[in-house]
């Protein structure tokens, strides 16, 4: 009776198989592209968190502009850098999705309501920051700049609150995936330090703008408080946020 020889296994085949298992750092090109999407999402979340904190401070100063005009101008200038970072990251996702990048197509588009509001949010954000910096430089005289700033502020507040309503629940997880206790369990995505550096650079640019605007502050001493505009903006924003949450819950 003859025995059938057992199939031989190439040496180191198991270790080779282990080496060939895709990992976040050495995966297939498709997986590497997907991790690029995750990295973009984490960058956007970190920039968004910075923008949110500064925006809340800026809104608080509006209720007491007479006493907090210096802080209002400095924080407004400081916002410019992080906003630029966030717009760059979301703009990259937009371009990659609509140029049919497979990884970004797999991720899918934002919710319909966010896609509809995105142009308003972008235009109003740019409008409120640019007109604010222009007003700091020129002083309170140009009426057209004041009107532009107020209208941009109202639209910006409403669209920002709706935007935050949708994305805020995801932000802590995305940030802690890079920096918190969840990091060990989350996919390891290259570029963590670059994402932090990009946000720090944005803050540094905004801080520089704030320093350059310091000499303009005396022209705005005694500015009228913007409480009435703040109340209108917040009430409208809360209504918009409530409608958005209802829209999400009903799945429409």
């Amino acid at each position: 009776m003859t025995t059938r020889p057992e199939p031989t296994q190439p040496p180191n085949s198991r270790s080779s198989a282990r080496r060939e298992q895709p990992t976040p750092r050495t995966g297939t090109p498709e997986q590497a592209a997907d991790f690029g999407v995750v990295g973009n999402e984490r960058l956007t979340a970190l920039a968004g968190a910075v923008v949110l904190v500064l925006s809340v401070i800026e809104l608080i100063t509006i209720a007491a502009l007479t006493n907090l005009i210096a802080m209002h101008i400095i924080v407004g200038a400081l916002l410019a850098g992080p906003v630029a970072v966030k717009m760059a990251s979301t703009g990259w996702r937009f371009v990659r999705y609509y140029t049919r990048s497979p990884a970004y197509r797999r991720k899918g588009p934002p919710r319909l309501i966010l896609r509809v509001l995105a142009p308003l949010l972008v235009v109003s954000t740019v409008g409120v920051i640019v007109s604010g910096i222009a007003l700091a430089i020129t002083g309170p005289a140009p009426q057209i700049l004041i009107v532009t700033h107020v209208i941009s502020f109202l639209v910006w507040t409403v669209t920002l609150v709706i935007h935050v309503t949708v994305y805020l629940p995801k932000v802590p997880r995305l940030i802690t995936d890079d920096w918190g206790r969840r990091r060990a369990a989350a996919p390891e995505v290259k570029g963590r330090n670059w994402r932090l550096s990009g946000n720090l650079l944005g803050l540094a640019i905004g801080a520089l703008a704030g320093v350059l605007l310091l000499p303009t502050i005396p022209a705005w001493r005694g500015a009228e408080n913007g409480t009435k505009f703040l109340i209108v903006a917040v009430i409208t924003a809360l209504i918009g946020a409530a409608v958005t949450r209802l829209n999400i819950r009903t799945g429409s």
Side-chain angles (χ1 to χ4, degrees):
M1 181 177 179
T2 59
T3 58
R4 182 179 299 175
E6 293 184 2
T8 58
Q9 194 174 33
N12 298 326
S13 61
R14 290 185 180 179
S15 60
S16 299
R18 280 197 299 270
R19 284 197 300 270
E20 291 170 2
Q21 289 297 319
T23 68
R25 291 188 181 275
T26 59
T28 65
E30 181 179 282
Q31 287 172 317
D34 286 336
F35 284 121
V37 175
V38 175
N40 174 268
E41 194 174 23
R42 292 181 185 178
L43 172 62
T44 303
L46 185 56
V50 175
V51 170
L52 178 60
V53 171
L54 293 176
S55 298
V56 170
I57 296 172
E58 188 75 339
L59 289 172
I60 292 171
T61 65
I62 292 173
L65 274 181
T66 303
N67 298 318
L68 299 178
I69 186 62
M71 182 182 292
H72 183 76
I73 292 174
I74 293 170
V75 173
L78 192 59
L79 262 169
V83 163
V85 174
K86 188 173 187 302
M87 284 188 175
S89 62
T90 53
W92 176 254
R93 176 183 174 181
F94 175 88
V95 169
R96 296 294 287 154
Y97 179 82
Y98 285 104
T99 54
R100 308 194 73 80
S101 163
Y104 282 87
R105 300 294 287 190
R106 283 192 294 273
K107 176 66 178 175
R111 292 179 181 274
L112 178 60
I113 189 170
L114 296 177
R115 281 179 281 164
V116 171
L117 290 177
L120 282 175
L121 179 58
V122 170
V123 171
S124 62
T125 302
V126 173
V128 76
I129 291 176
V130 171
S131 63
I133 292 175
L135 279 168
I137 295 171
T138 62
Q143 191 65 28
I144 184 64
L145 285 179
I146 295 176
V147 172
T148 301
H149 193 61
V150 170
I151 293 175
S152 297
F153 161 73
L154 293 172
V155 177
W156 170 74
T157 305
V158 174
T159 52
L160 178 67
V161 170
I162 294 174
H163 186 83
V164 168
T165 299
V166 176
Y167 282 116
L168 186 59
K170 304 176 184 178
V171 169
R173 174 183 60 80
L174 289 168
I175 294 176
T176 54
D177 280 350
D178 255 354
W179 298 99
R181 293 180 179 179
R182 285 178 46 90
R183 188 185 170 202
E188 185 180 359
V189 179
K190 290 190 293 185
R192 183 174 73 121
N193 291 330
W194 283 108
R195 290 189 284 276
L196 178 62
S197 299
N199 278 279
L200 291 176
L201 177 61
L203 280 171
I205 292 172
L208 177 61
V211 170
L212 293 175
L213 290 178
L214 285 176
T216 70
I217 292 174
W220 284 94
R221 295 293 183 190
E224 183 181 350
N225 292 334
T227 308
K228 57 185 177 182
F229 298 114
L230 181 61
I231 291 173
V232 170
V234 169
I235 291 175
T236 308
L238 290 176
I239 293 172
V243 171
T244 302
R245 292 305 303 173
L246 180 62
N247 182 277
I248 292 173
R249 287 179 181 177
T250 56
S252 55

